[in-house]
Amino acid sequence: MTAFRFGVVAAAQQGGARWRDTARRAEELGYSTLLSPDNLHIPTPTAALATAAAVTDRLRVGSFVLASPLRTARAAAWEAHSLTTLTEGRFELGLGTGLPSMREQAEELGLPYGSAGERLDAISATIDHVRRLDGEAHTHTPVMVAAGGPRARRLAAAKADIVTLAGGVLTPRDEFAAHVEELRSAADGRELELAMNIFVVGDEVPAWMRGFIQADAQALIENDSLTMLRGGVDDMAAELERRRAELGVSYVSVNSAFIEEFAPLVARLSGT
């Protein structure tokens, strides 16, 4: 089985000192990657990730995810390749089509939001540009695609290194399993690292998170939601091992609100 590794998702919205502390703490706790989201209401992830890499030694940094409506494909590739170069290979490019709310943000930037197909085409073009730039410099930027639909899964299977299984917070386990089979079939032997993001660690959903995912703890528990991880450390470790065995998920990220609560799992499972 592919060895576990873990990421922490955080936004650099509380100032430079707090952000640098978050990066250092993630490295101290053994997380593989610090991941930064993308929207116009927080500092741009490229600047944030360059800062995080500068104050750490081993920590990888990644976008989670660059939204295709917020920059052209060539601009996204330029930023990505620049980070790969400046971090000496510690950057991972995460790409996604963006939330519907980003229509207004795209308009503010003077860019088209585009149809679902056009936004996926932009992701495909970004990957092609990155591969060209990397090839010229003899580097390789790992690309992660957040794949929530069939076309996104086909694109990820063909061009990505890492695929985040995206879907609704109440998506059943067997549906995720079907998505994995679809990915494996489309990849036709290409090796893919499968990833999943955990929104909630424990039995309670913080109020701010409840507003974001539009579900409470009872709904998550009743639907066996894979966006929640609960119980003791033994229980949570067993659940992650189950997901790896059944779904092939070995790269797990967690919101920074749970960076300390999740740390015992990082210590136990990293590299195993």
Side-chain angles (χ1 to χ4, degrees):
M1 292 185 185
T2 304
F4 278 114
R5 68 184 183 115
F6 300 96
V8 57
V9 181
Q13 61 191 70
Q14 295 181 318
R18 287 285 298 275
W19 177 245
R20 292 189 295 272
D21 287 344
T22 297
R24 295 187 186 102
R25 186 59 177 157
E27 184 171 68
E28 288 171 1
L29 292 173
Y31 286 90
S32 166
T33 318
L34 178 62
L35 301 159
S36 179
D38 184 32
N39 68 68
L40 291 187
H41 305 302
I42 60 175
T44 174
T46 50
L49 296 171
T51 300
V55 298
T56 55
D57 298 315
R58 303 174 306 281
L59 187 71
R60 300 184 65 78
V61 295
S63 52
F64 197 75
V65 290
L66 288 191
S68 60
L70 300 189
R71 51 188 66 72
T72 66
R74 182 61 179 84
W78 174 36
E79 294 184 17
H81 179 69
S82 297
L83 274 169
T84 294
T85 301
L86 294 174
T87 64
E88 298 179 316
R90 286 195 281 151
F91 174 67
E92 298 174 4
L93 172 61
L95 295 168
T97 56
L99 299 171
S101 60
M102 286 181 175
R103 182 183 297 274
E104 293 180 0
Q105 296 184 33
E107 290 175 355
E108 189 175 343
L109 291 168
L111 295 170
Y113 180 69
S115 67
E118 288 169 336
R119 297 197 303 277
L120 278 173
D121 288 343
I123 290 175
S124 181
T126 298
I127 298 172
D128 291 343
H129 284 304
V130 169
R131 295 296 178 237
R132 178 178 59 80
L133 292 171
D134 282 353
E136 293 173 357
H138 305 290
T139 59
H140 179 79
T141 301
V143 172
M144 173 175 65
V145 170
R151 186 177 170 189
R153 287 190 287 274
R154 290 194 295 272
L155 170 61
K159 294 189 174 184
D161 303 287
I162 309 160
V163 183
T164 291
L165 301 177
V169 296
L170 304 182
T171 300
R173 191 182 295 255
D174 59 353
E175 189 172 325
F176 272 120
H179 294 169
V180 170
E181 288 302 313
E182 184 182 343
L183 276 167
R184 297 293 191 198
S185 177
D188 194 25
R190 287 187 70 243
E191 288 191 12
L192 297 172
E193 183 178 30
L194 298 187
M196 182 172 285
N197 186 42
I198 304 295
F199 284 111
V200 180
V201 177
D203 295 312
E204 300 295 329
V205 182
W208 61 270
M209 179 64 77
R210 195 160 56 244
F212 178 70
I213 65 175
Q214 295 295 297
D216 59 16
Q218 182 177 352
L220 297 178
I221 293 169
E222 289 177 352
N223 287 273
D224 188 27
S225 173
L226 299 188
T227 61
M228 178 183 236
L229 200 62
R230 61 197 186 97
V233 173
D234 290 343
D235 299 318
M236 291 191 287
E239 171 60 21
L240 291 181
E241 288 171 336
R242 177 188 176 187
R243 295 183 190 187
R244 182 172 63 174
E246 295 180 354
L247 302 174
V249 173
S250 59
Y251 186 9
V252 180
S253 58
V254 65
N255 189 280
S256 60
F258 304 105
I259 187 173
E260 300 294 339
E261 291 91 333
F262 197 77
L265 290 163
V266 175
R268 176 179 294 196
L269 296 176
S270 287
T272 63

